[in-house]
Amino acid sequence: AQSVSQHNHHVILSEAASLELGCNYSYGGTVNLFWYVQYPGQHLQLLLKYFSGDPLVKGIKGFEAEFIKSKFSFNLRKPSVQWSDTAEYFCAVSYNNNDMRFGAGTRLTVKP
Amino acid sequence: DVKVTQSSRYLVKRTGEKVFLECVQDMDHENMFWYRQDPGLGLRLIYFSYDVKMKEKGDIPEGYSVSREKKERFSLILESASTNQTSMYLCASSLIRPQETQYFGPGTRLLVL
Protein backbone atom coordinates (compact mmCIF):
# COMPACT_ATOMS: atom_id res chain seq x y z
CA ALA A 1 0.00 0.00 0.00
CA GLN A 2 1.14 3.53 -0.71
CA SER A 3 2.47 5.46 2.24
CA VAL A 4 3.67 8.92 3.18
CA SER A 5 6.48 9.49 5.67
CA GLN A 6 7.20 12.63 7.58
CA HIS A 7 10.61 12.43 9.16
CA ASN A 8 10.17 14.71 12.13
CA HIS A 9 7.53 14.27 14.76
CA HIS A 10 8.24 17.51 16.61
CA VAL A 11 10.46 20.40 15.56
CA ILE A 12 11.33 23.29 17.85
CA LEU A 13 12.83 26.44 16.37
CA SER A 14 13.50 29.99 17.42
CA GLU A 15 11.98 32.85 15.49
CA ALA A 16 13.88 33.76 12.31
CA ALA A 17 15.36 30.27 12.00
CA SER A 18 14.99 28.46 8.70
CA LEU A 19 12.61 25.55 8.42
CA GLU A 20 12.65 22.37 6.38
CA LEU A 21 10.15 19.60 7.00
CA GLY A 22 10.71 16.34 5.20
CA CYS A 23 8.12 14.34 3.32
CA ASN A 24 8.72 11.17 1.36
CA TYR A 25 6.19 8.98 -0.35
CA SER A 26 6.23 5.49 -1.74
CA TYR A 27 6.18 4.95 -5.47
CA GLY A 28 2.71 4.62 -6.95
CA GLY A 29 2.57 6.23 -10.37
CA THR A 30 1.14 9.67 -10.95
CA VAL A 31 1.03 11.76 -7.81
CA ASN A 32 -0.41 15.05 -6.67
CA LEU A 33 1.25 16.50 -3.59
CA PHE A 34 -0.04 18.71 -0.82
CA TRP A 35 0.96 20.34 2.43
CA TYR A 36 -1.80 21.13 4.89
CA VAL A 37 -1.45 23.08 8.12
CA GLN A 38 -3.49 22.96 11.31
CA TYR A 39 -3.03 25.96 13.59
CA PRO A 40 -3.96 25.48 17.26
CA GLY A 41 -7.72 25.31 17.60
CA GLN A 42 -8.32 25.68 13.88
CA HIS A 43 -9.18 23.28 11.12
CA LEU A 44 -6.85 21.89 8.52
CA GLN A 45 -6.22 24.18 5.62
CA LEU A 46 -4.22 23.96 2.42
CA LEU A 47 -0.76 25.47 2.52
CA LEU A 48 0.34 24.60 -1.00
CA LYS A 49 -0.01 21.93 -3.66
CA TYR A 50 1.80 20.49 -6.65
CA PHE A 51 0.03 18.93 -9.60
CA SER A 52 2.44 19.54 -12.48
CA GLY A 53 4.87 22.10 -13.93
CA ASP A 54 7.51 23.94 -11.94
CA PRO A 55 8.58 21.57 -9.16
CA LEU A 56 9.17 24.50 -6.81
CA VAL A 57 5.80 25.65 -5.59
CA LYS A 58 5.00 28.62 -3.44
CA GLY A 59 2.19 28.70 -0.95
CA ILE A 60 0.70 31.03 1.57
CA LYS A 61 2.62 32.81 4.33
CA GLY A 62 6.01 32.48 2.67
CA PHE A 63 6.10 28.69 2.53
CA GLU A 64 7.43 26.78 -0.44
CA ALA A 65 7.99 23.14 -1.31
CA GLU A 66 10.10 21.33 -3.84
CA PHE A 67 9.05 18.19 -5.64
CA ILE A 68 12.04 15.96 -6.35
CA LYS A 69 10.71 13.07 -8.37
CA SER A 70 13.92 11.01 -8.21
CA LYS A 71 13.87 11.13 -4.42
CA PHE A 72 10.09 10.73 -4.02
CA SER A 73 10.22 13.80 -1.83
CA PHE A 74 8.19 16.96 -1.31
CA ASN A 75 9.90 18.91 1.45
CA LEU A 76 8.41 22.05 2.92
CA ARG A 77 10.61 25.09 3.53
CA LYS A 78 10.45 28.56 4.95
CA PRO A 79 13.50 30.83 5.19
CA SER A 80 12.51 32.55 8.41
CA VAL A 81 9.80 31.24 10.73
CA GLN A 82 7.58 33.31 12.96
CA TRP A 83 5.91 32.50 16.25
CA SER A 84 2.59 32.40 14.35
CA ASP A 85 3.87 29.43 12.30
CA THR A 86 3.45 27.22 15.36
CA ALA A 87 1.14 24.51 14.06
CA GLU A 88 0.97 20.92 12.91
CA TYR A 89 1.94 20.29 9.30
CA PHE A 90 0.70 17.37 7.22
CA CYS A 91 2.06 16.15 3.94
CA ALA A 92 -0.49 14.43 1.69
CA VAL A 93 -0.20 12.53 -1.57
CA SER A 94 -2.89 11.43 -3.98
CA TYR A 95 -1.99 8.51 -6.18
CA ASN A 96 -3.18 7.92 -9.73
CA ASN A 97 -5.96 10.42 -9.34
CA ASN A 98 -7.43 8.35 -6.61
CA ASP A 99 -7.41 8.45 -2.85
CA MET A 100 -5.36 10.78 -0.68
CA ARG A 101 -2.78 9.56 1.84
CA PHE A 102 -1.65 11.70 4.73
CA GLY A 103 1.57 11.58 6.68
CA ALA A 104 1.61 11.35 10.46
CA GLY A 105 2.19 15.08 10.80
CA THR A 106 5.00 17.24 12.18
CA ARG A 107 4.37 19.53 15.10
CA LEU A 108 6.28 22.78 14.79
CA THR A 109 6.88 24.94 17.84
CA VAL A 110 8.41 28.34 17.25
CA LYS A 111 9.83 30.05 20.32
CA PRO A 112 9.46 33.82 20.40
CA ASP B 1 -15.42 30.56 0.79
CA VAL B 2 -16.01 26.86 1.18
CA LYS B 3 -17.61 26.03 4.44
CA VAL B 4 -17.64 22.59 5.98
CA THR B 5 -19.45 22.34 9.28
CA GLN B 6 -19.68 19.50 11.75
CA SER B 7 -22.57 19.08 14.13
CA SER B 8 -20.56 18.93 17.34
CA ARG B 9 -17.10 20.04 18.46
CA TYR B 10 -17.09 17.71 21.47
CA LEU B 11 -19.03 14.58 22.27
CA VAL B 12 -18.96 12.21 25.19
CA LYS B 13 -20.65 8.84 24.73
CA ARG B 14 -20.78 5.54 26.55
CA THR B 15 -19.59 2.20 25.25
CA GLY B 16 -22.26 0.53 23.17
CA GLU B 17 -24.13 3.71 22.26
CA LYS B 18 -24.98 4.51 18.67
CA VAL B 19 -23.27 7.73 17.64
CA PHE B 20 -24.08 10.03 14.73
CA LEU B 21 -21.61 12.59 13.44
CA GLU B 22 -22.99 15.01 10.90
CA CYS B 23 -21.15 17.00 8.27
CA VAL B 24 -22.53 19.62 5.92
CA GLN B 25 -20.78 21.46 3.09
CA ASP B 26 -22.20 24.46 1.31
CA MET B 27 -20.23 24.48 -1.95
CA ASP B 28 -21.96 21.80 -4.00
CA HIS B 29 -18.93 19.53 -3.79
CA GLU B 30 -19.22 16.06 -5.25
CA ASN B 31 -16.91 14.28 -2.85
CA MET B 32 -17.06 14.04 0.91
CA PHE B 33 -14.76 12.24 3.33
CA TRP B 34 -14.54 11.11 6.92
CA TYR B 35 -11.15 10.79 8.60
CA ARG B 36 -10.01 10.11 12.08
CA GLN B 37 -6.98 11.94 13.41
CA ASP B 38 -4.84 10.35 16.10
CA PRO B 39 -1.49 11.57 17.45
CA GLY B 40 1.41 10.01 15.60
CA LEU B 41 -0.87 8.42 13.00
CA GLY B 42 -1.98 11.45 11.05
CA LEU B 43 -5.27 11.27 9.20
CA ARG B 44 -6.73 7.93 8.27
CA LEU B 45 -9.59 7.64 5.84
CA ILE B 46 -12.68 5.88 7.17
CA TYR B 47 -15.13 6.30 4.29
CA PHE B 48 -15.69 8.59 1.38
CA SER B 49 -18.55 9.34 -0.97
CA TYR B 50 -18.34 10.60 -4.54
CA ASP B 51 -22.06 11.01 -5.08
CA VAL B 52 -25.37 10.88 -3.29
CA LYS B 53 -26.10 7.41 -1.96
CA MET B 54 -22.63 6.24 -3.02
CA LYS B 55 -19.92 5.28 -0.57
CA GLU B 56 -16.51 3.70 -0.62
CA LYS B 57 -14.52 2.17 2.22
CA GLY B 58 -11.32 3.82 3.23
CA ASP B 59 -8.47 2.32 5.20
CA ILE B 60 -10.26 1.78 8.50
CA PRO B 61 -14.01 1.27 7.93
CA GLU B 62 -14.52 -1.39 10.61
CA GLY B 63 -16.99 -0.31 13.24
CA TYR B 64 -18.28 2.59 11.15
CA SER B 65 -20.95 3.18 8.55
CA VAL B 66 -21.93 6.25 6.55
CA SER B 67 -24.96 7.79 4.93
CA ARG B 68 -25.26 10.32 2.14
CA GLU B 69 -28.89 11.02 1.34
CA LYS B 70 -28.29 14.58 0.14
CA LYS B 71 -25.33 16.02 -1.71
CA GLU B 72 -24.43 18.48 1.01
CA ARG B 73 -24.64 16.12 3.97
CA PHE B 74 -22.46 13.16 4.92
CA SER B 75 -23.05 11.31 8.17
CA LEU B 76 -20.71 9.00 10.03
CA ILE B 77 -22.32 6.39 12.25
CA LEU B 78 -20.71 4.41 15.01
CA GLU B 79 -23.12 1.51 15.40
CA SER B 80 -21.86 0.53 18.85
CA ALA B 81 -19.23 2.89 20.17
CA SER B 82 -16.13 1.43 21.73
CA THR B 83 -13.33 3.06 23.70
CA ASN B 84 -10.88 2.58 20.83
CA GLN B 85 -13.03 4.90 18.77
CA THR B 86 -12.13 7.80 21.01
CA SER B 87 -10.55 10.20 18.56
CA MET B 88 -10.83 13.41 16.57
CA TYR B 89 -13.09 12.98 13.55
CA LEU B 90 -12.62 15.23 10.55
CA CYS B 91 -14.97 15.71 7.65
CA ALA B 92 -13.75 17.05 4.32
CA SER B 93 -15.09 17.76 0.86
CA SER B 94 -13.62 18.28 -2.59
CA LEU B 95 -15.13 19.65 -5.75
CA ILE B 96 -14.97 17.01 -8.46
CA ARG B 97 -12.26 14.45 -7.93
CA PRO B 98 -11.08 12.98 -4.62
CA GLN B 99 -7.47 13.90 -5.30
CA GLU B 100 -8.18 17.61 -5.53
CA THR B 101 -7.81 20.04 -2.69
CA GLN B 102 -9.90 18.94 0.26
CA TYR B 103 -11.64 21.40 2.54
CA PHE B 104 -11.94 20.40 6.15
CA GLY B 105 -14.42 20.98 8.90
CA PRO B 106 -13.39 21.94 12.44
CA GLY B 107 -13.49 18.37 13.70
CA THR B 108 -15.45 16.53 16.37
CA ARG B 109 -13.54 15.29 19.39
CA LEU B 110 -15.29 12.12 20.55
CA LEU B 111 -14.66 10.53 23.91
CA VAL B 112 -16.12 7.07 24.47
CA LEU B 113 -16.25 6.05 28.11
Side-chain angles (χ1 to χ4, degrees):
Chain A
Q2 286 89 0
S3 63
V4 180
S5 299
Q6 291 184 240
H7 313 303
N8 310 102
H9 180 62
H10 189 192
V11 173
I12 302 172
L13 295 172
S14 298
E15 274 194 315
S18 64
L19 170 72
E20 181 159 5
L21 301 182
C23 173
N24 284 90
Y25 59 93
S26 59
Y27 173 76
T30 304
V31 293
N32 295 325
L33 302 154
F34 305 80
W35 276 97
Y36 285 86
V37 60
Q38 188 173 33
Y39 297 104
Q42 297 187 27
H43 47 179
L44 252 75
Q45 57 187 286
L46 182 71
L47 201 54
L48 49 80
K49 62 185 177 184
Y50 172 79
F51 282 12
S52 63
D54 188 344
L56 184 63
V57 292
K58 296 192 184 298
I60 60 172
K61 304 189 180 185
F63 286 90
E64 64 179 32
E66 186 174 13
F67 170 50
I68 303 179
K69 192 174 180 180
S70 60
K71 294 185 177 180
F72 301 100
S73 71
F74 190 55
N75 292 355
L76 181 71
R77 299 195 293 248
K78 186 171 183 179
S80 175
V81 295
Q82 300 173 314
W83 176 78
S84 58
D85 293 325
T86 294
E88 189 153 19
Y89 293 81
F90 294 91
C91 180
V93 181
S94 69
Y95 289 88
N96 297 322
N97 294 331
N98 207 337
D99 60 334
M100 186 100 76
R101 299 273 163 170
F102 284 81
T106 297
R107 189 155 61 100
L108 172 66
T109 301
V110 180
K111 295 181 177 178
Chain B
D1 262 0
V2 178
K3 200 161 194 181
V4 180
T5 56
Q6 295 182 230
S7 50
S8 306
R9 291 300 300 271
Y10 301 95
L11 271 182
V12 180
K13 296 292 180 181
R14 297 212 173 270
T15 302
E17 280 192 76
K18 192 168 186 175
V19 182
F20 293 86
L21 303 182
E22 303 282 337
C23 175
V24 177
Q25 50 94 3
D26 67 355
M27 287 303 293
D28 204 33
H29 282 180
E30 300 289 330
N31 305 289
M32 297 187 74
F33 310 83
W34 276 107
Y35 295 90
R36 62 177 282 176
Q37 181 182 8
D38 298 290
L41 297 177
L43 277 69
R44 292 179 292 166
L45 182 64
I46 304 170
Y47 269 97
F48 71 97
S49 167
Y50 52 88
D51 201 354
V52 175
K53 296 192 187 295
M54 305 300 287
K55 60 185 179 184
E56 292 283 344
K57 291 181 181 179
D59 294 325
I60 51 164
E62 297 78 19
Y64 303 93
S65 61
V66 290
S67 170
R68 193 163 180 206
E69 297 296 319
K70 293 184 178 181
K71 191 175 186 179
E72 68 271 17
R73 189 179 296 270
F74 192 35
S75 303
L76 180 69
I77 303 152
L78 286 65
E79 296 289 343
S80 177
S82 63
T83 54
N84 63 12
Q85 292 178 310
T86 290
S87 187
M88 170 71 90
Y89 290 88
L90 298 180
C91 176
S93 70
S94 68
L95 181 56
I96 298 173
R97 296 173 298 177
Q99 73 279 9
E100 291 181 342
T101 302
Q102 294 186 12
Y103 296 87
F104 286 83
T108 295
R109 190 168 291 282
L110 173 66
L111 172 62
V112 182
L113 299 173

